[in-house]
Amino acid sequence: MLDGGDEELKDTMRNSKPVKRFIVIDKTVHELYGSKVSQYFDERGVIYKILPLTTTEENKSMELVTKILEEVHHLGIDRRSEPIIALGGGVCLDVVGLAASLYRRRTPYIRVPTTLLSYVDASVGAKTGVNFAGGKNKLGSYVPPVATFLDSSFFQTLPLRQISNGFAEMLKMALMKHLGLFELLEVNGSKLLHAKLQPSKTCSGSEMEDSTAASMRIAIETMLEELAPNLWEDDLDRLVDFGHLISPELEMKVLPALLHGEAVNIDMSFMVYVAQQKGLLTKDEKDRIIQCMLGLELPVWHQECSLALVQKSLRERLKHSAGSVRMPLPTGLGRAEIFHDMIADDVICQAFQKWTEELSSFGNK
Ligand SMILES: NC(=O)c1ccc[n+]([C@@H]2O[C@H](COP(=O)([O-])OP(=O)(O)OC[C@H]3O[C@@H](n4cnc5c(N)ncnc54)[C@H](O)[C@@H]3O)[C@@H](O)[C@H]2O)c1
């Protein structure tokens, strides 16, 4: 994209004259790609300001939003024709999205995700947000970007742990909706992980190149199928909530020990045991899912994910989901249903016991 191959990004700059852009960039991404970004805009004669920011889960807060807003205000952009550009991982995209949605009540913004997680998940949908009062994404808005530009070559500089992290959200979609994606991750997951989803580096044959492209395409398509008809979340029955019932509480409790996708995976791993306990999954299906997670080098258990935390999270869920727990659970490989009634406490307790017996040896990450 930064080599100038992206016509659409150029088009968004042709529409206004003189072209002015405000770019918020994750600090690490700036260190790695900052000079290329400057060169890109210099070559096109754009007036621009780049704001590098440390965007981490710990400082994903209103202070960061205010900081961005002060700089936007100082530069003085036209809210009708000069979109703010966010270049970074999910934290950067969420914070910039919220700032843009607040500035003069709604200023357009563009997402350029640079992590796998933000590429397959935070790039899609309308949600923006920051953490507040110890709660994950407790403040936010539903304002979609005017465009999202996808370039997987950014993954080359990501540590492997960050790639695993992104695979968790891909696996979520596989488990909820797509047997083919699950089988692809089951068979090729480890290779795709170590090749950082770069087509040319996976292997000499075209088969792996297809797996790379197919895995990301299916993950995004299935995500879009779920999010697009329900952008404002009027329908609270959401398959994409799988892995997100216990994980917010866990992620915030152990911050910064677990990455977002890692916490999501621990939640999914436990829920797979709940599904087996309810007779929705066979032992063989449960084992295949856990093996797939391990192949993707994702954590499947965490000592801070206690039975008390699980029960508290489910009670919270009930409180905030209009009196129904709305729990997505796999009912086979690649298919799922939403369960409205609170799962019986003995099912949760037995699943928890089995989960801990079988997986605690995999320990904490
Ligand atoms: N809005 C949504 O719909 C949505 C969906 C999913 C997740 N999220 C949010 O996304 C956040 C997680 O996003 P994330 O996993 O991208 O984390 P992140 O934004 O914290 O980025 C992870 C790390 O990778 C670094 N980094 C980013 N790009 C890089 C690159 N190309 N090379 C090297 N290092 C790079 C960053 O500096 C950071 O240290 C969470 O806060 C979550 O709530 C939002």
Side-chain angles (χ1 to χ4, degrees), residues 245 314 317-318 321 323-327 339-343:
L245 269 62
L314 296 182
R317 171 80 174 178
L318 199 60
S321 284
S324 157
V325 73
R326 297 172 205 273
M327 185 188 270
F339 291 83
H340 288 90
D341 295 335
M342 191 66 162
I343 309 283

Side-chain angles (χ1 to χ4, degrees), residues 181-215:
L181 179 58
F182 174 75
E183 288 171 343
L184 200 155
L185 296 179
E186 184 181 36
V187 176
N188 295 319
S190 178
K191 280 186 208 151
L192 295 175
L193 165 67
H194 287 273
K196 298 190 175 179
L197 283 157
Q198 296 305 300
S200 54
K201 286 191 193 161
T202 44
C203 82
S204 49
S206 61
E207 188 204 325
M208 283 304 291
E209 214 166 313
D210 289 348
S211 306
T212 305
S215 62

Side-chain angles (χ1 to χ4, degrees), residues 41-241:
F41 289 107
D42 284 338
E43 282 172 4
R44 287 157 183 86
V46 176
I47 301 164
Y48 64 94
K49 156 106 184 139
I50 296 180
L51 176 65
L53 283 181
T54 304
T55 49
T56 62
E57 203 59 53
E58 296 97 302
N59 73 355
K60 189 182 180 187
S61 63
M62 275 313 281
E63 283 82 78
L64 214 50
V65 173
T66 313
K67 191 170 175 139
I68 293 168
L69 290 173
E70 277 163 7
E71 297 282 346
V72 170
H73 189 62
H74 191 244
L75 185 69
I77 57 170
D78 178 343
R79 73 165 289 278
R80 280 152 305 181
S81 59
E82 295 174 341
I84 299 171
I85 299 172
L87 201 82
V91 173
C92 180
L93 306 189
D94 275 2
V95 173
V96 174
L98 181 55
S101 72
L102 290 173
Y103 189 64
R104 306 194 67 184
R105 293 187 181 80
R106 182 195 278 211
T107 295
Y109 71 102
I110 293 173
R111 291 177 180 152
V112 185
T114 59
T115 62
L116 176 59
L117 188 135
S118 59
Y119 185 101
V120 295
D121 194 348
S123 67
V124 187
K127 268 190 192 176
T128 77
V130 293
N131 302 330
F132 177 70
K136 188 153 172 63
N137 295 328
K138 279 280 168 339
L139 295 182
S141 58
Y142 291 109
V143 176
V146 285
T148 295
F149 297 111
L150 298 177
D151 182 349
S152 61
S153 70
F154 283 116
F155 306 161
Q156 289 171 83
T157 49
L158 281 175
L160 271 195
R161 187 179 170 196
Q162 290 288 346
I163 306 275
S164 287
N165 184 46
F167 267 118
E169 297 284 3
M170 294 170 73
L171 181 60
K172 173 182 83 176
M173 298 319 296
L175 294 177
M176 292 291 98
K177 278 181 75 91
H178 208 290
L179 174 62
L181 179 58
F182 174 75
E183 288 171 343
L184 200 155
L185 296 179
E186 184 181 36
V187 176
N188 295 319
S190 178
K191 280 186 208 151
L192 295 175
L193 165 67
H194 287 273
K196 298 190 175 179
L197 283 157
Q198 296 305 300
S200 54
K201 286 191 193 161
T202 44
C203 82
S204 49
S206 61
E207 188 204 325
M208 283 304 291
E209 214 166 313
D210 289 348
S211 306
T212 305
S215 62
M216 290 190 285
R217 176 182 55 75
I218 300 169
I220 292 175
E221 277 174 6
T222 48
M223 195 78 79
L224 277 170
E225 277 166 22
E226 289 302 301
L227 297 184
N230 191 23
L231 265 191
W232 283 267
E233 299 185 15
D234 297 321
D235 182 358
L236 297 174
D237 289 350
R238 293 168 17 107
L239 291 179
V240 288
D241 282 351

